[in-house]
Amino acid sequence: AQRVTQPEKLLSVFKGAPVELKCNYSYSGSPELFWYVQYSRQRLQLLLRHISRESIKGFTADLNKGETSFHLKKPFAQEEDSAMYYCALGGNEKLTFGTGTRLTIIP
Amino acid sequence: SAVISQKPSRDICQRGTSLTIQCQVDSQVTMMFWYRQQPGQSLTLIATANQGSEATYESGFVIDKFPISRPNLTFSTLTVSNMSPEDSSIYLCSVDPGSRSYTFGSGTRLTVV
């Protein structure tokens, strides 16, 4: 079975401080991991995928198969990063979502 | 990436009635997905809809309660039937236009009274 765990429901970080949103997964196959973000009053949108190995809006995430993790990181938080973040696992052509972390950046 | 138009954006419905949610995509896609997000919870997949075949439902969801249509490669509907207050949720459609870049609609916020 596919499972995604985001242990923090809420996370508050000061502006300029580093951010790390945790995500762990459980999947017997070869995982595809995603981070989605939902800003206030906007639709859910793809932030990044592990397969692309890209950096979007300063965020990066590395897939660690040994620790079954896909933590989202940003070295310096900005106020516009305040949003709801969901980690998702793709397998069998469908996505399984974590419960999400609400990130608040304190000015 | 694909652009999804979902409607209605919100509705308040009486228990026992049904609501049909529409999802229109600006490009042809093979699979469309319907999710539910209950208050304070994450997204849960209801079913996967392929054009020309019956939808595939996830555990805990049945066709009688959530009938789905997929008449062509750009459109799908989800009906929430015989509604109860427990059906109050946000319902979202999603597509994969390619390269596993799943895109979501803006959602339908349903309140059942």
Side-chain angles (χ1 to χ4, degrees), chain B residues 94-111:
Chain B
S94 174
V95 302
D96 176 15
S99 304
R100 313 285 271 177
S101 299
Y102 298 92
T103 304
F104 286 81
S106 54
T108 297
R109 183 179 295 272
L110 170 63
T111 302

Side-chain angles (χ1 to χ4, degrees), chain B residues 55-70:
Chain B
T56 302
Y57 288 82
E58 297 299 305
S59 175
F61 298 96
V62 295
I63 188 171
D64 289 347
K65 177 67 176 177
F66 298 100
I68 288 171
S69 79
R70 184 78 203 273

Side-chain angles (χ1 to χ4, degrees), chain B residues 11 22-23 37 44 54 63 72 78 96:
Chain B
D11 208 341
Q22 299 180 5
C23 183
Q37 187 174 25
T44 302
E54 292 263 336
I63 188 171
N72 57 53
L78 170 76
D96 176 15

Side-chain angles (χ1 to χ4, degrees), chain A residues 36 43-44 95 97, chain B residues 4 35 43 92-94 102-106:
Chain A
Y36 279 82
R43 68 180 64 192
L44 196 65
L95 289 179
F97 284 83
Chain B
I4 299 174
Y35 287 84
L43 288 79
L92 301 107
C93 71
S94 174
Y102 298 92
T103 304
F104 286 81
S106 54

Side-chain angles (χ1 to χ4, degrees), chain A residues 6 9 32 34 36 38 42-46 49 51 86-87 90-100, chain B residues 3-6 31 33 35 37 40-43 45 48 58 92 94 98-106:
Chain A
Q6 292 180 254
K9 292 194 78 167
E32 292 185 77
F34 305 80
Y36 279 82
Q38 189 166 29
Q42 294 188 30
R43 68 180 64 192
L44 196 65
Q45 55 187 280
L46 179 64
R49 305 176 291 172
I51 198 169
Y86 294 95
C87 182
N92 297 325
E93 298 180 326
K94 62 184 182 182
L95 289 179
T96 299
F97 284 83
T99 50
Chain B
V3 176
I4 299 174
S5 174
Q6 186 176 338
M31 289 190 287
F33 307 89
Y35 287 84
Q37 187 174 25
Q41 299 192 27
S42 186
L43 288 79
L45 182 64
T48 303
E58 297 299 305
L92 301 107
S94 174
S99 304
R100 313 285 271 177
S101 299
Y102 298 92
T103 304
F104 286 81
S106 54

Side-chain angles (χ1 to χ4, degrees), chain A residues 24-56:
Chain A
N24 288 89
Y25 67 91
S26 174
Y27 184 56
S28 58
S30 184
E32 292 185 77
L33 276 300
F34 305 80
W35 276 100
Y36 279 82
V37 61
Q38 189 166 29
Y39 301 103
S40 179
R41 296 189 180 86
Q42 294 188 30
R43 68 180 64 192
L44 196 65
Q45 55 187 280
L46 179 64
L47 182 61
L48 53 78
R49 305 176 291 172
H50 92 271
I51 198 169
S52 302
R53 300 189 64 80
E54 58 203 342
S55 174
I56 304 294

